[in-house]
């Protein structure tokens, strides 16, 4: 079997961001208002600080303004909910991103639910999960949305295919399975309690690895000709798929880095501009 074709998330994300920047400029010229993303960070976890800064920089380059709200680590659920409700009600803010995880003393779900669905550009609310699940218009979780765009860009139609999603987190595994189901794939979820993961994965026409365990999925687990999406990102730029063996089996595969990763932020930026277009009455 020949080696798999690589699914180039970097190039696709660049095209999406260029298009998004053009839309942001057009919106600003037409309405006099630039799209605005509010980022909310609780505490000073270094990785979270870096992620938020990166998102703000990328916003700036795409013509999106950002408003940053930095809250102390001791912020209570009530205070965070109050901040998010105020941003939800603020007409100058079009999208809201709560950097997570938040501290363990905070009820993260209560915080997410304080984000107005029309500003939920990170796709974390129950309302967004419901629209994703029903295949209705709305905002998607950014990494799952990016994965679907990659599949579309490489002409992978999920309809009728067996998709196996390894991982069931609220931001990644669960929603990507629902998006695949909404596109008529036959979806199996695997997780830490799944017995005989290899057999389950071997059935898949589309494998989505969303686990956080380096090289858990190996080439011998991949059905020849399958599409392999590796959302995992582990220390040392290592995915959840053993790339060297999987590339020999798959037809299409995402590299790590340069596959799913860049698609996440591209989706965030695109959804922010879309939210602004809707709120400013031009979409
Ligand atoms: P998470 O919340 O820790 O969830 C991991 C999932 O994997 C859980 O559902 C867990 O099962 C399952 N799991 C753990 N060990 C397993 C095993 N041995 N066999 C089968 N399933 C197993 O992680 P996450 O936030 O979804 O992230 C997953 C990976 O994606 C990480 O590497 C993360 O860095 C990466 N990620 C990348 C992006 C991006 O932009 N590229 C965005 C988000 C996450 P249980 O539910 O039973 O515990």
């Amino acid at each position: 079997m020949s080696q798999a074709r690589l699914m180039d998330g970097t190039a696709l994300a660049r095209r999406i961001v260029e298009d998004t920047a053009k839309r942001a400029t057009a919106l600003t010229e037409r309405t006099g208002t630039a799209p605005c993303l509010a980022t909310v960070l609780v505490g000073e976890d270094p990785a979270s600080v870096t992620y938020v800064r990166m998102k703000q920089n990328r916003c700036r380059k795409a013509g999106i303004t950002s408003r940053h709200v930095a809250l102390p680590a001791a912020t209570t659920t009530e205070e965070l909910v109050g901040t998010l409700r105020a941003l939800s009600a603020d007409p100058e803010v079009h999208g809201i991103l709560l950097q997570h995880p938040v501290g363990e003393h905070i009820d993260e779900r209560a915080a997410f639910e304080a984000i107005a669905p029309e500003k939920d550009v990170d796709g974390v609310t129950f309302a967004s999960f419901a629209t994703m699940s029903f295949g209705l218009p709305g905002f998607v979780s950014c990494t799952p949305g990016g994965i679907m765009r990659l599949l579309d860009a490489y002409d992978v139609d999920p309809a009728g295919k067996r998709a196996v999603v390894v991982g069931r987190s609220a931001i990644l595994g669960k929603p990507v399975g629902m998006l695949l189901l909404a596109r008529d794939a036959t979806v199996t979820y695997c997780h830490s309690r799944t017995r005989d993961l290899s057999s389950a994965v071997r059935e898949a026409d589309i494998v989505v690895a969303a686990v956080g365990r380096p090289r858990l999925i190996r080439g011998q687990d991949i059905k020849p000709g399958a599409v392999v999406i590796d959302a995992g990102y582990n220390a040392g730029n290592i995915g959840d798929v053993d790339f060297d063996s999987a590339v020999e089996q798959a037809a299409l595969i995402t590299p790590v880095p340069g596959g799913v990763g860049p698609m996440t932020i591209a989706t965030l930026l695109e959804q922010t501009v879309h939210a602004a277009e809707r709120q400013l009455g031009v979409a």
Side-chain angles (χ1 to χ4, degrees):
M1 174 120 200
S2 57
Q3 283 209 335
R5 234 176 112 204
L6 293 189
M7 301 172 88
D8 186 346
T10 304
L12 178 58
R14 193 183 305 122
R15 289 201 293 278
I16 292 172
V17 173
E18 280 167 9
D19 183 51
T20 298
K22 282 187 200 140
R23 280 168 58 188
T25 305
L27 184 67
T28 308
E29 282 171 5
R30 187 161 162 190
T31 65
T33 303
C36 174
L37 175 70
T39 54
V40 179
L41 176 63
V42 181
E44 290 172 2
D45 170 64
S48 295
V49 170
T50 305
Y51 283 139
V52 169
R53 197 169 299 141
M54 188 181 78
K55 287 166 189 168
Q56 289 169 322
N57 287 340
R58 300 295 296 277
C59 277
R60 194 174 318 113
K61 286 186 188 151
I64 299 168
T65 59
S66 48
R67 185 193 300 180
H68 184 54
V69 182
L71 298 171
T75 300
T76 63
T77 298
E78 290 67 30
E79 286 164 341
L80 180 57
V81 163
T83 298
L84 292 163
R85 286 208 178 120
L87 292 169
S88 291
D90 185 338
E92 289 176 8
V93 169
H94 307 111
I96 301 171
L97 174 116
L98 171 61
Q99 184 64 38
H100 52 90
V102 290
E104 277 184 7
H105 65 287
I106 291 176
D107 179 347
E108 187 173 85
R109 179 46 49 194
F112 284 155
E113 293 310 310
I115 298 172
E118 66 273 18
K119 298 188 181 183
D120 180 22
V121 291
D122 201 24
V124 295
T125 59
F126 282 148
S128 294
F129 190 81
T131 51
M132 275 185 273
S133 304
F134 283 88
L136 295 171
F139 294 120
V140 295
S141 300
C142 291
T143 305
I147 289 171
M148 300 307 289
R149 290 292 287 273
L150 263 174
L151 292 174
D152 286 338
Y154 284 84
D155 294 323
V156 180
D157 180 1
K161 299 214 168 60
R162 284 191 176 271
V164 172
V165 179
V166 190
R168 56 173 169 179
S169 70
I171 56 142
L172 180 45
K174 263 189 200 126
V176 79
M178 292 317 245
L179 289 171
L180 286 161
L181 180 64
R183 295 278 301 274
D184 298 324
T186 301
V187 180
T188 302
Y189 284 99
C190 299
H191 44 78
S192 66
R193 308 289 295 273
T194 297
R195 290 193 197 130
D196 197 358
L197 179 66
S198 297
S199 297
V201 173
R202 228 169 277 140
E203 295 288 311
D205 303 308
I206 300 171
V207 181
V208 180
V211 192
R213 299 270 182 282
R215 302 193 182 104
L216 177 74
I217 315 285
R218 314 196 69 87
Q220 68 227 36
D221 303 333
I222 305 292
K223 177 162 126 181
V227 176
V228 177
I229 305 287
D230 188 354
Y233 192 71
N234 306 290
N237 278 346
I238 296 170
D240 290 344
V241 174
D242 180 49
F243 183 87
D244 290 346
S245 58
V247 76
E248 302 292 336
Q249 293 291 106
L252 285 165
I253 187 168
T254 57
V256 176
V260 173
M263 295 300 296
T264 300
I265 189 136
T267 306
L268 174 73
L269 300 180
E270 187 179 51
Q271 295 199 131
T272 300
V273 172
H274 193 203
E277 288 170 345
R278 274 202 216 149
Q279 286 160 51
L280 294 169
V282 301

